[in-house]
Amino acid sequence: MTKPQIAPYGSWKSPITSDLVASGAVRLEQVILDGENIYWIEMRPAEGGRCVVVRRSPQGQAADITPPPFNARTRVHEYGGGAFTVHNGTIYFSNFTDGRLYCQAPEFMPRPITPEGKLRYADLVVDRHRDRLICVCEDHIATGQEPVNTLISIDLHGSKRSRVLVSGNDFYSSPHLSPDGTRLAWLTWNHPDMPWDGTELWVGELGVDGSLRKVERVAGGPDESIFQPEWSPDGILYFVSDRTGWWNLYRRHKGHIKPIIGMETEFGAPQWFFGMFTYAFVSAGNIICTYNDKGTWHLASLDIETQKLQRIEISYTDISYLRAGSGQVVFIAGSPAEPASIVRLDLSSERLEVLRRSTDVVIDAGYLSIPRHIEFPTEHGLTAHAFFYPQQNGDYQAPPGELPLLLVISHGGPTSVASSKLDLMIQYWTSRGIAVLSVNYGGSTGYGRAYRQRLNGQWGIVDVNDCVNGAIYMVKLGEVDGDRLIIRGSSAGGYTTLCALTFRNVFRAGADYYGVSDLESMRKETHKFESRYLDRLIGPYPERQDLYRERSPLNFVDRLSCPVIFFQGLEDKIVPPEQTEKMFGALLHRGLPVSYLPFEGEQHGFRRSRNIKSALDAELYFYSKIFSFRLADPVEPVQIQNISKKG
């Protein structure tokens, strides 16, 4: 064996390069089964972030279906999801460039079935009994007003005008048809609720002409979040509800709602995107499902009659987009050692098969950091959660007595969750000798409704406390250097990052990716889906304007005393560039070491490989200058203002 080289943390040479992180992986989304064919979406950074529908035949051949320049993506709620569906080999998808719906029959080019305009579509369902699509429509035609969301029907051939089926509420999602096509179920909610706060499940009968009648609310309300309504093969309505404090499975039969399973685990997830599925019917009496237990997802089989849940032992710890049919279950899964992949489970042989990996790159185990789940004490005698990734590179060890830098990651949402699946971005840091703590602060999902609600009225406080306390906990364990603590985050995680840097004095540097710095501006300028989100996270506006100002880092730049690097997409509609530019300007004026990298053509989240690479290299370069460690490989320098004034 080659003796490890001695080199300071941060300066280790790694085969996990920024090129590998940026171009080596696609993002896999939305699985659909059509007969024995399997479809999914691949978001490809190497193609400028284009989303491509891919089909895998029963013979095992995978092929792109949507040709360039078509981009199967929707901007409903800005975050999208549920951008396509398939019926008998014909694909229906939303095209990102013009927002129109297209129909693509086998061996033909896509053709539009909706008119030009400012309409957006998502959550597509084929109503085969009436030759139409049912979907969510978001109308942006009225200028100066909030977009209007409805459930509509669209003729499959585009020869008839669309028809509004349900309207009047602020949001709709998850339309699902009963197997005989006579009933439609859907979810709806209104401001200021988000779908993980309170939703309603409605059901209506469909007439011969396709209209809805005998419409009734069957579950849900302001204090109950419903997820994934689904009809069983024998026409019974199932859904996930958190009415007990945990997202568990229920069914409605003969007017009565009964629990199917009751566990202190989560069978649902926050609906940031359309088209999310955590369970599927194998038969009228059997469900294959996935559930989240303290940040780790498990696969299981559920016998409905006996209510017995049988764990299916697999190595994956992150599972999503689960679908079933034709004797198989297909889902997207990953683990600490395996990247996100399309995985197929053959129900007859119980054999698992990987159909598509998000990356074909194989990383030697000597460079992979395997996370461990940690629980640590936080404010008010409570416990918070995180995944800790120790530095790992078999080619190096640090000089005696040196402790590694710690990079704390604050996830977005903030109602989201840090996953333990293989993330090359995290491995980029750990393989260079920088430890990572990915925090599931109070407000994260996977730990029950009460944990999620810790953030209500406390955004900028609970999340910051948990990130700070997580870092301090790792220092007390003696695993990291308390003088070299860094925090980074994107979107809502960027807000947590800026609050931690502004209102606390624990971290010595930070990286903000399109984060919120001015809560009042966000409240006034952000898109419809999140326009009232802050009512719960902060307080009603303008009644609690004082809280919005007290928790906006931009108003207290004089308290921020450490270097920061900012990254921003110039077409971001969720966190407009003006917020980042004001924050950068204020720090520049104060004389702090600061950098700002704006990216043309990027929105809320970077999709282009060259920009992902540039951002990652710039962040590493920034830390190397702030903490005075040499880089093993040259990277393109980034301009750091006021660097001579550091310290």
Side-chain angles (χ1 to χ4, degrees), residues 404-431:
L405 302 84
L406 176 68
L407 180 63
V408 172
I409 298 179
S410 173
H411 66 68
T415 311
S416 186
V417 64
S419 168
S420 62
K421 71 173 178 286
L422 179 61
D423 184 337
L424 290 182
M425 185 274 291
I426 290 178
Q427 303 297 329
Y428 175 89
W429 300 110
T430 56
S431 62

Side-chain angles (χ1 to χ4, degrees), residues 117-419:
K118 296 183 179 180
L119 300 176
R120 302 175 183 178
Y121 309 92
D123 250 4
L124 316 178
V125 176
V126 173
D127 182 357
R128 59 185 176 83
H129 299 278
R130 298 166 187 86
D131 215 22
R132 64 179 184 172
L133 285 172
I134 295 175
C135 64
V136 175
C137 177
E138 190 171 83
D139 186 342
H140 289 253
I141 292 176
T143 57
Q145 297 181 22
E146 189 174 73
V148 176
N149 291 64
T150 55
L151 285 181
I152 68 171
S153 64
I154 296 170
D155 178 66
L156 290 181
H157 309 289
S159 58
K160 300 176 184 177
R161 294 184 63 181
S162 63
R163 178 180 184 178
V164 175
L165 298 177
V166 186
S167 63
N169 287 349
D170 292 320
F171 301 99
Y172 296 92
S173 76
S174 312
H176 283 272
L177 279 166
S178 61
D180 61 3
T182 62
R183 289 170 293 168
L184 179 71
W186 67 92
L187 298 180
T188 184
W189 66 98
N190 288 298
H191 289 312
D193 291 330
M194 299 299 284
W196 46 86
D197 295 321
T199 51
E200 296 177 350
L201 171 58
W202 287 70
V203 174
E205 294 184 3
L206 287 168
V208 177
D209 65 349
S211 62
L212 273 170
R213 60 190 182 187
K214 296 183 179 180
V215 172
E216 61 173 331
R217 181 177 67 86
V218 300
D223 299 312
E224 180 181 3
S225 173
I226 308 291
F227 175 88
Q228 192 190 336
E230 194 82 23
W231 299 93
S232 65
D234 55 351
I236 298 175
L237 181 62
Y238 287 70
F239 59 94
V240 173
S241 166
D242 70 351
R243 58 179 59 189
T244 64
W246 299 86
W247 270 316
N248 280 187
L249 271 164
Y250 294 81
R251 67 173 173 176
R252 180 180 186 259
H253 186 46
K254 296 181 179 180
H256 299 285
I257 294 175
K258 295 182 179 181
I260 300 300
I261 192 76
M263 298 170 58
E264 290 191 351
T265 54
E266 304 274 49
F267 288 79
Q271 296 179 74
W272 282 103
F273 308 97
F274 294 96
M276 300 170 65
F277 294 87
T278 60
Y279 70 96
F281 286 92
V282 174
S283 67
N286 184 242
I287 288 174
I288 296 292
C289 57
T290 181
Y291 61 91
N292 186 341
D293 183 14
K294 293 184 178 180
T296 297
W297 288 88
H298 303 279
L299 188 68
S301 173
L302 175 62
D303 184 286
I304 295 171
E305 183 177 349
T306 63
Q307 298 187 356
K308 181 180 179 181
L309 188 75
Q310 181 68 43
R311 176 91 66 87
I312 300 172
E313 297 298 334
I314 58 177
S315 61
Y316 298 107
T317 58
D318 187 280
I319 306 169
S320 60
Y321 295 104
L322 186 148
R323 308 304 291 266
S326 301
Q328 60 186 344
V329 178
V330 183
F331 47 88
I332 299 176
S335 74
E338 285 287 325
S341 304
I342 305 290
V343 179
R344 175 181 178 270
L345 171 64
D346 186 288
L347 293 174
S348 60
S349 65
E350 298 184 353
R351 175 174 171 266
L352 278 177
E353 180 184 7
V354 175
L355 307 183
R356 171 72 160 110
R357 286 182 168 84
S358 58
T359 176
D360 292 326
V361 174
V362 177
I363 306 296
D364 186 282
Y367 302 103
L368 284 184
S369 175
I370 303 300
R372 71 176 190 261
H373 176 263
I374 66 167
E375 298 183 14
F376 57 90
T378 190
E379 307 301 308
H380 308 296
L382 298 173
T383 297
H385 303 265
F387 289 108
F388 177 66
Y389 295 79
Q391 64 284 354
Q392 175 62 38
N393 186 323
D395 298 335
Y396 291 89
Q397 64 183 39
E402 183 182 359
L403 290 172
L405 302 84
L406 176 68
L407 180 63
V408 172
I409 298 179
S410 173
H411 66 68
T415 311
S416 186
V417 64
S419 168

Side-chain angles (χ1 to χ4, degrees), residues 583-604:
M583 197 74 187
F584 167 70
L587 296 187
L588 183 65
H589 179 73
R590 285 204 59 224
L592 289 169
V594 62
S595 293
Y596 173 48
L597 276 74
F599 292 101
E600 293 278 357
E602 292 286 10
Q603 298 167 14
H604 199 65

Side-chain angles (χ1 to χ4, degrees), residues 536-601:
R536 282 187 186 263
L537 295 179
I538 304 294
Y541 188 88
E543 293 88 343
R544 295 311 311 268
Q545 187 180 49
D546 58 323
L547 292 179
Y548 284 74
R549 292 180 176 178
E550 287 174 11
R551 296 190 204 162
S552 292
L554 185 61
N555 297 334
F556 300 93
V557 179
D558 58 311
R559 299 188 188 180
L560 203 161
S561 58
C562 70
V564 185
I565 185 169
F566 295 91
F567 303 89
Q568 178 69 47
L570 294 180
E571 294 183 12
D572 194 335
K573 302 298 183 184
I574 296 171
V575 178
E578 290 76 14
Q579 288 209 26
T580 298
E581 289 163 1
K582 287 179 181 178
M583 197 74 187
F584 167 70
L587 296 187
L588 183 65
H589 179 73
R590 285 204 59 224
L592 289 169
V594 62
S595 293
Y596 173 48
L597 276 74
F599 292 101
E600 293 278 357

Side-chain angles (χ1 to χ4, degrees), residues 70 85 90-94 100-106 108-114 133 155-158:
F70 290 99
T85 193
T90 297
I91 300 171
Y92 303 90
F93 68 93
S94 167
R100 302 171 76 180
L101 287 181
Y102 283 76
C103 167
Q104 185 178 359
F108 285 88
M109 288 292 291
R111 60 177 182 83
I113 58 173
T114 57
L133 285 172
D155 178 66
L156 290 181
H157 309 289

